[in-house]
Amino acid sequence: MPVAIGFIALIALGGTYLLARHVAADGGPRTGLWAGLLVVIVVAVSFAAQIVSIYYRPPIGWLIALALAAVGAVALFIRIGRDVQWRGSRVAAVVGMLVVADITLVLAMIALPFGSMLVPLFEASAQQMAEADGFDILLAPDETMFTEYKPITKLDADAGGGVQVQYEHFTLLERKADGPLDHTALGRVLASGVDPLVTGGPRITDDAAYTETTVDGRPALGVEYADRNAVEKQGMAHESVRVLAFERDGVEVRIFSHGWQRFDPDTGAYTQVDALSFDELLRIAASLAPGE
């Protein structure tokens, strides 16, 4: 798939070049140069804007730089328009050139998996979200963050606030705790009928099994149950769910793991994989560290 997308991106890049040549053919001696520079600036602004959008509170320096670059792009567009005397076909070619260039950028970003390079930005944004809710984020530095899409979400105040961080095989949900949570309080957090993820997760069933344990000497509560939606509506044989909840340093933490389907490229078949065990969840819990 990445190879095919990369090939399409190369074709789109060639299309951008041909459109630029078409614009330059009816302009001045430097119209081609302006067109090329405009493409570079627009692509750079589009790329930088996607990077900046990761932050919950974007750095002011980045916003100023983007604004200045956008002004420069508008100035170049006007200069090119004057060079071609605002002929409709040439102006349309300029617009098409920029659209194709932007599509090329998107395809290139899909073909080149560099999501892992953005993890420090995701972690910084998660910390900003947590600070907005009055606590410090706890992250799992030894685990792989899911980066096929933006893996961090700030929960609405109506949902109790907090931050959700998606890793490869589990989800962290954290929010400011009202105080130390004992097993009784954690039982209310993970009571029957509760959605551990707050927004869209499988609700805890009335036949769930609970396990009282500790994390760094603090009370912790685990719950295990089946995702009835997956079993009854999606035809899955069994979709296990395990959740571990505890309080640490004024933060209520929930580690949520759901069974999943693993694809084997050699056989073309899917294999049902169980949710992470409580031993694995406890290991992750012990490894959590404050974000930098």
Side-chain angles (χ1 to χ4, degrees):
M1 181 63 73
V3 174
I5 294 176
F7 181 70
I8 296 173
L10 288 176
I11 294 176
L13 185 62
T16 303
Y17 172 76
L18 293 176
L19 286 169
R21 288 285 301 272
H22 177 69
V23 172
D26 200 25
R30 295 186 178 181
T31 303
L33 174 62
W34 303 142
L37 185 57
L38 178 60
V39 168
V40 171
I41 292 177
V42 169
V43 169
V45 168
S46 296
F47 179 75
Q50 293 186 55
I51 298 300
V52 171
S53 69
I54 293 174
Y55 288 98
Y56 182 66
R57 292 193 302 269
I60 187 65
W62 277 85
L63 295 178
I64 293 174
L66 285 174
L68 292 175
V71 170
V74 171
L76 279 173
F77 183 84
I78 293 174
R79 174 59 187 268
I80 294 170
R82 290 175 176 173
D83 281 357
V84 299
Q85 300 179 6
W86 298 106
R87 292 184 178 88
S89 63
R90 305 302 181 180
V91 173
V94 174
V95 175
M97 175 184 69
L98 298 179
V99 171
V100 173
D102 211 39
I103 293 174
T104 304
L105 171 65
V106 173
L107 292 174
M109 292 178 69
I110 295 174
L112 300 174
F114 63 99
S116 59
M117 298 173 60
L118 302 178
V119 168
L121 300 184
F122 291 135
E123 293 179 342
S125 181
Q127 176 60 21
Q128 291 178 341
M129 293 176 180
E131 289 175 350
D133 279 355
F135 68 96
D136 291 323
I137 198 74
L138 296 171
L139 299 169
D142 299 329
E143 305 297 327
T144 302
M145 190 175 288
F146 187 83
T147 57
E148 292 186 15
Y149 52 77
K150 190 175 180 179
I152 53 175
T153 304
K154 189 176 187 308
L155 302 177
D156 295 335
D158 293 342
V163 181
Q164 187 171 296
V165 184
Q166 179 69 51
Y167 288 86
E168 286 287 351
H169 300 312
F170 66 94
T171 302
L172 270 180
L173 188 151
E174 301 179 12
R175 56 173 46 141
K176 184 177 181 180
D178 295 331
L181 301 176
D182 58 17
H183 286 123
T184 301
L186 291 170
R188 291 192 291 270
V189 170
L190 298 182
S192 174
V194 168
D195 173 2
L197 291 181
V198 180
T199 54
R203 295 186 178 277
I204 298 173
T205 59
D206 52 11
D207 60 350
Y210 290 87
T211 301
E212 292 187 356
T213 183
T214 60
V215 172
D216 291 335
R218 300 175 178 86
L221 184 66
V223 61
E224 178 179 3
Y225 59 103
D227 181 351
R228 288 178 177 170
N229 180 67
V231 173
E232 297 174 2
K233 296 185 179 180
Q234 298 178 23
M236 303 294 183
H238 178 72
E239 285 284 347
S240 58
V241 180
R242 292 190 183 95
V243 187
L244 181 69
F246 58 96
E247 178 272 330
R248 175 179 162 187
D249 300 332
V251 182
E252 178 196 319
V253 181
R254 304 180 196 180
I255 307 177
F256 173 95
S257 179
H258 193 292
W260 69 94
Q261 298 280 321
R262 176 184 290 154
F263 178 71
D264 186 344
D266 295 329
T267 63
Y270 287 88
T271 303
Q272 182 67 33
V273 180
D274 196 20
L276 296 180
S277 68
F278 282 126
D279 286 342
E280 290 172 306
L281 296 181
L282 287 168
R283 176 187 58 78
I284 293 167
S287 72
L288 296 182
E292 298 180 359

